Amino acid sequence: MRTVIDSKKPAWITLAVALVFNTLLLSAQSSKHFDTSFVRVWLLASLGPFEKLVDAGVEGVENIWSGYIDLIHIRRDNEKLLTENGRLRMEVSQNSEDALELARLRQLMELRATPIGKTVVARVIGKDPSQGGQNMTIDKGTKSGIGRDTTIITSDGVVGRVIFTSDYFSVVQLIIDSQSAVGFIVRSSRRLGILKGTGRAELEMEYIDDDNDIKQGDELITSGQDQIYPKGIPLGVVLSVGPRQGNFKVVRIRPNVNFGRLEEVLCMTDHLPEVSTGQAP
Amino acid sequence: MHDGSSSRSVDGSGPVKERITTYGLVGKFALSLFAVVVIQGILAYRIRVFGYFDLPLILSIYYGFTLGRPVPSVIIGTSIGLLQDSLSGVPMGTNGFSKTLIGYLAATAGSKFDVDLPVTRAIAIFLFTVGDGFIISTLGLMTGSATNSVYNLFSNWLVTGVFNALLGMLMFGYHDRVTHAAS
């Protein structure tokens, strides 16, 4: 090691070797002739435990603060929550009646329910360390049944999909990442389309011309046509329908999920992406 | 990395001790690389403002300037870049390539120019940040993994450049204080 580092040979030889190594790695992934995923899996498996350990430490400090020190409004909040709990119990009772009715109607119309299937709860332990990237690391991997393209959701809606995974950790591409695209249906008009990540906290619709009925406040759900995200999961709300830029209009979407506040997520380990036929989810 | 002549002894324990010291130093470097990538990921997730910093880049420049030797700086740059790639969505080698070049240039600049002045360091970190962003975006375009608009990219580079320059000045200031206190 010392002989390499203290070598008297010109430093540009080391530089050239390092640059060639990185270039080969990049081109191997582009051409797909040689599988380099083991390098990433190995590095992810090495970094994951460190990330989980530091995250647990930070979480511990936060818990001490929120659980023992920051309890000023706890009594008032408790009363408010009890009232809300009573109201929600009544709503749940009403909703279970509605759900039963919906199941009967589905049976009558011979429609299948949206297949959510088996899920695994995972904890977010870190964010993309690169500039501009919108990915995150979760503490579950192949040992928990997670694989490439596993859909990640919360109760609010779609979070993203798994792009790399090791035994115990996975990297998730958020739907707001500039590389991400999701098929959608407008809940009211049943219009189909593609949502694209922007790298910021918003999404944009692609290929929307003047001849469309999309309006501010429209709710969007997944269409299932991308063969990755199952049909019927909430995506977001139309924020604005802008003027035409080039051939198409700029339509901005606010995602349902608050990506700045993600702690636990659900990984859909067992589902069949249902291709939409334009019917209700 | 270490002057082995001082640790050699008559009983033959010198080379062993020297090897342990060398491995210890390499271990410390490796640990600091792992730590900085992990800390960047966790802080960017917990505290939103940390998303504007690029700690791995600052560390590459820091080692380049303080070591002033291109070979270890290139090795550090490549390693930290690949670690960063493994937790990102970009193809492996993107940050590796960029940080390798930055490490080499920082070490060359550190050995040839006077980078002791805080203003010089701040300007250098800013320029290296913009250079890093440019290389990563160019590689992204070549591999088909970059889709951000030019305006977004440019504004990101500028904001991150300013944040990195400020944090870099603090880090170098701390390094100077420790070095002076030790001497």
Side-chain angles (χ1 to χ4, degrees), chain A residues 202 214-217 237-242 250-254:
Chain A
E202 291 168 357
I214 290 169
K215 56 188 182 302
Q216 194 179 349
V237 177
V238 176
L239 208 59
S240 66
V241 182
V250 177
V251 183
R252 291 163 56 227
I253 314 297
R254 190 192 67 230

Side-chain angles (χ1 to χ4, degrees), chain A residues 1-2 4-7 9-12 14-15 18-23 25-26 29-30 36 39-40 42-44 46-48 50-56 58-59 62 123-132 135-137 163-164 171 177-179 196-200 258-264, chain B residues 1-4 8 18 22-23 26 31 33-35 37-42 44-46 48 50-56 69-72 74-75 78 82-98 100-101 104 132 136 139 142-149 152 156 160 164:
Chain A
M1 178 64 76
R2 209 168 75 90
V4 174
I5 291 171
D6 289 343
S7 171
K9 283 178 187 170
W12 62 262
T14 318
L15 175 70
L19 291 180
V20 167
F21 171 73
N22 283 297
T23 311
L25 206 57
L26 278 167
Q29 288 163 96
S30 302
T36 56
V39 182
R40 197 186 285 270
W42 185 81
L43 288 174
L44 181 61
S46 320
L47 276 173
F50 278 89
E51 204 161 22
K52 196 170 180 179
L53 195 73
V54 179
D55 179 69
V58 175
E59 176 77 3
E62 276 184 2
R123 189 177 158 71
V124 179
I125 55 169
K127 201 178 170 288
D128 194 329
S130 287
Q131 283 304 305
N135 304 298
M136 62 183 196
T137 316
I163 47 173
F164 311 113
V171 175
D177 187 75
S178 54
Q179 287 279 298
K196 191 94 182 60
T198 58
R200 302 185 304 275
N258 181 353
F259 293 99
R261 296 270 169 226
L262 279 176
E263 291 198 8
E264 272 95 25
Chain B
M1 290 193 82
H2 173 66
D3 183 10
R8 276 191 195 109
E18 182 186 313
T22 309
Y23 284 140
V26 172
L31 203 66
L33 303 189
F34 269 65
V37 174
V38 167
I39 288 169
Q40 169 76 44
I42 288 177
Y45 161 58
R46 297 264 172 196
R48 199 169 289 182
F50 264 89
Y52 293 112
F53 291 109
D54 192 341
L55 294 181
R69 290 155 59 192
V71 175
V74 162
I75 295 169
T78 303
L82 288 175
L83 286 175
Q84 207 175 353
D85 285 334
S86 67
L87 293 181
S88 309
V90 294
M92 285 290 288
T94 309
N95 278 293
F97 190 97
S98 170
T100 300
L101 265 181
Y104 177 79
D132 180 63
I136 289 172
L139 289 173
M142 287 165 75
T143 54
S145 63
T147 50
N148 261 337
S149 68
N152 277 348
N156 269 354
T160 308
N164 280 353

Side-chain angles (χ1 to χ4, degrees), chain A residues 191 194 204-212 241-251:
Chain A
R191 172 180 277 272
I194 301 166
E204 275 180 12
M205 274 186 195
E206 286 211 310
Y207 313 121
I208 300 298
D209 54 18
D210 288 333
D211 185 27
N212 77 81
V241 182
R244 196 184 171 112
Q245 274 184 12
N247 290 330
F248 303 105
K249 284 187 167 184
V250 177
V251 183

